[in-house]
Amino acid sequence: LHPVGASSSTEYTEGDVVSFNIPTYKMSMMDTSKSYMNFTLTTSANTTKCFVENNLPIFSRCVVTSGGVLVEDIQDFDVLDRMFSLLEDTNDKKTGGAMFGDYTHKDPLLTSALLSTKQQGGVHYSKRLNSSILSCKLEYFLPLFRLQNDLRLELYMSDNKNVCISSTGTLDATQAYTISDVSYNIALIKLTDKVFNQMNSMDEMKLP
């Protein structure tokens, strides 16, 4: 899925909102554990360099609605990202941390200066949502086929000062970040006719 009203060249930075419409796919459930975002993150600085790590805390707020009805509104979403970064399995960090922007156990050769240089040229990352009903940590499938309206996901971009880390320890006005070529890859589980009919006949189905 691509953001609402965006193209591959659309860039987002602090204060912007990235929005996705998740359709009510027929006879399908969403596997949030295998769903993730892709984007290219680029930093900019005219003087001292900066870089981004700590699980890429680029979203400060997450809002999910359906048909204009608020499903959830999570503030300090970036803080949760940092917290989950501290709780992740060490082996996962070593093998796949760089893919998700978590450099807690980075290669010793990847210094902060080198990471700054790489990100100034643009680095492709994947990002999982660590909380909300779309969290990758849920042990349930999301029954999209039971929703009357599409889900709308709105992600509010964090301030530069809460995302960028200065190589000198002090941020200046030129140090900023953007993301582009944004997409949301969702994993769908297709139901058989028998399972679909059984689940669709339930009077009520609670979301986790």
Side-chain angles (χ1 to χ4, degrees):
L1 299 175
H2 293 285
V4 177
S7 66
S8 60
S9 61
T10 302
E11 294 186 345
Y12 299 90
T13 188
E14 65 169 3
D16 291 337
V17 181
V18 185
S19 301
F20 296 96
N21 282 336
I22 303 174
T24 55
Y25 291 103
K26 185 177 180 181
M27 297 180 64
S28 296
M29 303 181 78
M30 181 176 173
D31 184 354
T32 57
S33 70
K34 294 181 174 63
S35 300
Y36 56 92
M37 295 179 62
N38 278 332
F39 52 79
T40 298
L41 181 140
T42 306
T43 58
S44 60
N46 294 332
T47 53
T48 55
K49 294 181 178 180
C50 64
F51 58 95
V52 180
E53 54 179 10
N54 295 329
N55 227 15
L56 303 181
I58 61 175
F59 301 124
S60 61
R61 181 184 178 192
C62 173
V63 178
V64 180
T65 58
S66 179
V69 178
L70 180 65
V71 178
E72 62 182 351
D73 185 347
I74 303 177
Q75 308 282 341
D76 297 324
F77 202 69
D78 49 346
V79 177
L80 292 174
D81 267 339
R82 291 190 180 91
M83 290 174 59
F84 279 116
S85 176
L86 298 174
L87 299 174
E88 291 287 348
D89 184 86
T90 300
N91 290 327
D92 290 342
K93 288 176 177 288
K94 290 180 178 179
T95 57
M99 180 189 303
F100 301 104
D102 188 340
Y103 295 99
T104 307
H105 295 277
K106 64 175 178 284
D107 185 329
L109 297 177
L110 183 61
T111 63
S112 296
L114 180 56
L115 180 58
S116 297
T117 301
K118 287 171 64 70
Q119 290 183 340
Q120 279 193 295
V123 178
H124 186 76
Y125 289 107
S126 295
K127 182 170 180 60
R128 299 169 294 192
L129 299 180
N130 288 305
S131 53
S132 85
I133 64 167
L134 300 174
S135 171
C136 64
K137 303 183 183 302
L138 288 184
E139 297 180 352
Y140 306 89
F141 296 142
L142 187 63
L144 297 176
F145 71 94
R146 287 295 299 263
L147 300 177
Q148 293 183 345
N149 299 283
D150 294 351
L151 280 180
R152 186 176 181 91
L153 170 65
E154 296 181 342
L155 298 166
Y156 291 70
M157 302 292 290
S158 300
D159 292 342
N160 291 324
K161 64 181 181 181
N162 294 331
V163 176
C164 299
I165 301 173
S166 174
S167 297
T168 63
T170 304
L171 284 176
D172 62 46
T174 70
Q175 295 173 327
Y177 75 100
T178 61
I179 60 172
S180 59
D181 196 16
V182 183
S183 63
Y184 188 21
N185 302 281
I186 64 174
L188 296 177
I189 305 297
K190 188 73 173 180
L191 302 178
T192 63
D193 290 338
K194 181 179 180 180
V195 174
F196 171 75
N197 291 331
Q198 288 177 340
M199 297 185 70
N200 207 35
S201 63
M202 296 179 181
D203 293 331
E204 184 179 66
M205 185 177 294
K206 293 184 179 181
L207 296 178

